[in-house]
Amino acid sequence: MIINWIFLVVLVAPCFSLENDLARTPPMGWLAWERFRCNTDCKNDPDNCISDQLFRTMADILVTEGYADLGYEYVNIDDCWSEKYRDTGNNLVPDRNRFPYGLKDLGDYIHSNGLKFGIYGDYGNYTCGGYPGSIAHMERDASMFASWEVDYVKLDGCYADAFDMDKGYPEFGYFMNRTGRNMVYSCSWPVYQIYAGINPNWTSIIKHCNLWRNYNDIQDSWSSIETIIDYYGDNQDSIVPNAGPGHWNDPDMLIIGNFGLSYEQSKTQMALWAIFAAPLLMSVDLRTIRPEFKAILQNRKIIAVNQDPLGIQGRRIYKHKGIEIWARPITPVEQNYYSYAIAFVNRRTDGTPSDVSVTLEQLGLQYKKGYKVEDLYEDVYYGVLEPKRKIKVKVNPSGVVILRCDIKVETTPTRNQYSQFSPLNHVFQVRQNSFE
Ligand SMILES: *[C@@H]1O[C@H](CO)[C@@H](O)[C@H](O)[C@H]1NC(C)=O
Ligand SMILES: *[C@@H]1O[C@H](CO)[C@@H](O)[C@H](O)[C@H]1NC(C)=O
Ligand SMILES: *[C@@H]1O[C@H](CO)[C@@H](O)[C@H](O)[C@H]1NC(C)=O
């Protein structure tokens, strides 16, 4: 008689949510990818290859050139940092020539500057650059990152099945949590699913990731920026509600100061990334950036909009004949009225500035006692303007004017009071023809 022993193996999927209390405002820092790519040629290009030296140098400059004081705190490695193969114990190993002291040592250096350390991995079989992926080694890789005292993990999604990601991304997050080390979790989960024609499960993504990519990689051009702006505007009803403290949409890096953007276009990227409540991850050579571009990246008032504690992502409220108006509810809040950052964007290419004239009321700003209105690039303060008051701005081709409109606050509400105002309750109503 043959006895069949049937083992019923119940695989309990880890029921887990990311409650790491990190990224309460969008992360800020420096990320290698857009500018330095997968340059591994340290022999011929020692100053620009992905190496220990590059990250130490950028960490130094973040501190000495004032970026760190403004909140740029993460120094993030992207792809192409590791050896092509795991070691005999299946561990990821940093490239032995380019990172001769190992990543714990690099992390220590970054931390000793008061900064934070970010790394890159991939959920699938390989990273996009063909380096080892984490799919069969999640627990091992998460603990390795923790042992290097990493503070931020970007997990890409090349060489993976997008259908598996609903399970796989939470699983990696579970192992990150199990290490006991606080690490921001940046996911590429939705963008690969969208590519594969899958409707992402936002409930789950919000629950498991601190930030996530939902659109193409940014490239060094204005046309790349424009496709991202359009994506964020055209899809705002589905993506804006997903943003909030601890969980952000990531339109990808700031490319300001590189080769592809004019001065005006650079101002537009900075202003709209503030409206988007986007992570501010600069990817630029901080050694050679020109002062006017550095000034854009260091604009305190625009950074303050980006880092607004309410964490409500802004929306495109008007789009007509190449003129767009974007608005983001911000603090201070009083009697259920928000303050706003308003960006006027000129997408036209006829070479003269366009005038936009509009009342605050038409923009949805109804607070009777008025708003303190300030231009965040020009450092002009317009005083307190009532909702019926018409404002007129001149917007340069592919440029921006960004205003901050603060309601006059009698008392300063506590952070808890803010949470009662749901961004979904706010409806913008701007008529298409309300501009001359
Ligand atoms: C990853 O590797 C496994 C094992 O070799 C293979 O079965 C799977 O098809 C690969 N997945 C992708 C998306 O390439
Ligand atoms: C792990 O998750 C638990 C519950 O979800 C949370 O309380 C804890 O702070 C997390 N730990 C880390 C290091 O993220
Ligand atoms: C989305 O994820 C949530 C939370 O993880 C889950 O409860 C829900 O069933 C999922 N929805 C779909 C349509 O799969």
Side-chain angles (χ1 to χ4, degrees):
M1 191 185 171
I2 298 168
I3 300 170
N4 279 319
W5 289 96
I6 300 172
F7 291 96
L8 185 65
V9 181
V10 182
L11 289 171
V12 183
C15 177
F16 162 76
S17 79
L18 187 82
E19 284 165 25
N20 59 17
D21 209 33
L22 299 173
R24 305 308 295 173
T25 60
M28 295 175 64
W30 186 89
L31 176 59
W33 183 256
E34 197 287 323
R35 176 62 180 79
F36 292 95
R37 302 284 158 156
C38 193
N39 179 351
T40 55
D41 187 3
C42 291
K43 205 156 153 237
N44 296 305
D45 197 6
D47 291 338
N48 299 300
C49 63
I50 299 303
S51 70
D52 181 83
Q53 193 53 52
L54 183 71
F55 295 96
R56 285 182 201 243
T57 303
M58 294 305 155
D60 290 345
I61 299 176
L62 287 179
V63 174
T64 58
E65 297 285 316
Y67 296 94
D69 286 341
L70 292 161
Y72 292 100
E73 60 177 349
Y74 289 97
V75 179
N76 291 359
I77 299 179
D78 207 277
D79 203 351
C80 308
W81 57 267
S82 79
E83 287 282 340
K84 283 272 174 166
Y85 299 98
R86 292 172 180 271
D87 70 11
T88 49
N90 273 326
N91 298 305
L92 288 171
V93 183
D95 185 280
R96 291 184 179 88
N97 295 316
R98 293 181 287 119
F99 294 90
Y101 319 109
L103 290 189
K104 170 70 168 65
D105 195 81
L106 175 57
D108 286 349
Y109 183 80
I110 290 167
H111 290 137
S112 74
N113 275 288
L115 301 169
K116 293 179 175 154
F117 177 35
I119 199 152
Y120 168 101
D122 190 285
Y123 162 66
N125 287 333
Y126 302 98
T127 72
C128 300
Y131 293 81
S134 291
I135 199 153
H137 307 275
M138 291 197 193
E139 184 168 14
R140 175 185 306 280
D141 292 356
S143 6
M144 185 60 87
F145 294 160
S147 77
W148 292 335
E149 296 185 22
V150 158
D151 305 296
Y152 181 120
V153 177
K154 170 179 172 181
L155 196 68
D156 212 334
C158 278
Y159 300 101
D161 182 341
F163 285 91
D164 292 344
M165 290 180 179
D166 286 341
K167 189 172 147 287
Y169 270 91
E171 205 175 330
F172 194 88
Y174 168 77
F175 289 123
M176 281 171 63
N177 175 277
R178 282 259 303 265
T179 68
R181 182 165 178 85
N182 273 327
M183 295 183 271
V184 170
Y185 190 20
S186 164
C187 299
S188 300
W189 172 8
V191 63
Y192 285 95
Q193 293 200 324
I194 291 166
Y195 285 156
I198 303 167
N199 206 359
N201 182 339
W202 293 114
T203 314
S204 185
I205 291 163
I206 291 166
K207 195 166 135 193
H208 292 106
C209 303
N210 291 119
L211 61 152
W212 52 81
R213 290 281 309 285
N214 39 26
Y215 191 63
N216 296 346
D217 281 6
I218 200 163
Q219 310 292 346
D220 193 5
S221 73
W222 174 239
S223 62
S224 168
I225 302 267
E226 286 195 298
T227 61
I228 296 170
I229 295 172
D230 288 339
Y231 182 85
Y232 270 64
D234 294 347
N235 296 281
Q236 58 189 2
D237 290 342
S238 60
I239 65 178
V240 166
N242 301 332
H247 44 95
W248 310 101
N249 291 298
D250 177 9
D252 214 0
M253 292 156 271
L254 294 169
I255 58 166
I256 295 162
N258 292 321
F259 311 104
L261 297 190
S262 72
Y263 179 62
E264 298 298 330
Q265 291 160 354
S266 300
K267 287 165 76 175
T268 303
Q269 190 189 20
M270 189 71 185
L272 284 181
W273 264 233
I275 296 285
F276 296 162
L280 297 181
L281 297 169
M282 307 179 286
S283 193
V284 58
D285 190 342
L286 297 173
R287 295 167 297 197
T288 56
I289 187 170
R290 292 182 195 171
E292 66 270 29
F293 293 109
K294 178 179 166 191
I296 294 171
L297 292 167
Q298 295 200 344
N299 183 311
R300 285 172 192 277
K301 293 174 181 176
I302 296 176
I303 291 171
V305 170
N306 176 273
Q307 297 285 300
D308 187 82
L310 294 179
I312 302 171
Q313 183 174 330
R315 304 172 71 94
R316 188 178 66 199
I317 60 171
Y318 177 85
K319 179 176 192 275
H320 189 59
K321 292 192 174 165
I323 301 296
E324 295 178 10
I325 305 177
W326 291 74
R328 175 176 176 188
I330 53 174
T331 56
V333 176
E334 174 102 341
Q335 298 166 12
N336 291 8
Y337 289 94
Y338 291 102
S339 301
Y340 286 88
I342 307 280
F344 300 85
V345 181
N346 183 355
R347 303 277 299 273
R348 298 170 68 99
T349 51
D350 45 338
T352 190
S354 291
D355 286 344
V356 182
S357 103
V358 61
T359 64
L360 293 179
E361 203 169 36
Q362 286 170 315
L363 298 171
L365 279 63
Q366 319 259 6
Y367 189 61
K368 295 270 181 302
K369 290 177 191 161
Y371 297 80
K372 296 189 275 182
V373 179
E374 180 180 18
D375 184 315
L376 303 186
Y377 276 122
E378 297 302 321
D379 259 333
V380 179
Y381 176 58
Y382 291 97
V384 177
L385 305 186
E386 285 174 6
K388 297 236 180 291
R389 182 69 179 276
K390 187 162 260 189
I391 51 174
K392 189 168 161 185
V393 293
K394 254 188 196 319
V395 197
N396 294 340
S398 66
V400 70
V401 170
I402 179 167
L403 304 178
R404 182 177 181 118
C405 307
D406 277 359
I407 60 168
K408 279 185 71 184
V409 181
E410 324 282 305
T411 55
T412 308
T414 64
R415 185 162 162 167
N416 280 345
Q417 280 173 272
Y418 291 142
S419 60
Q420 64 190 292
F421 304 112
S422 158
L424 297 177
N425 293 338
H426 189 84
V427 181
F428 290 102
Q429 287 177 326
V430 174
R431 293 196 324 277
Q432 280 269 312
N433 59 357
S434 57
F435 302 93
E436 274 106 60

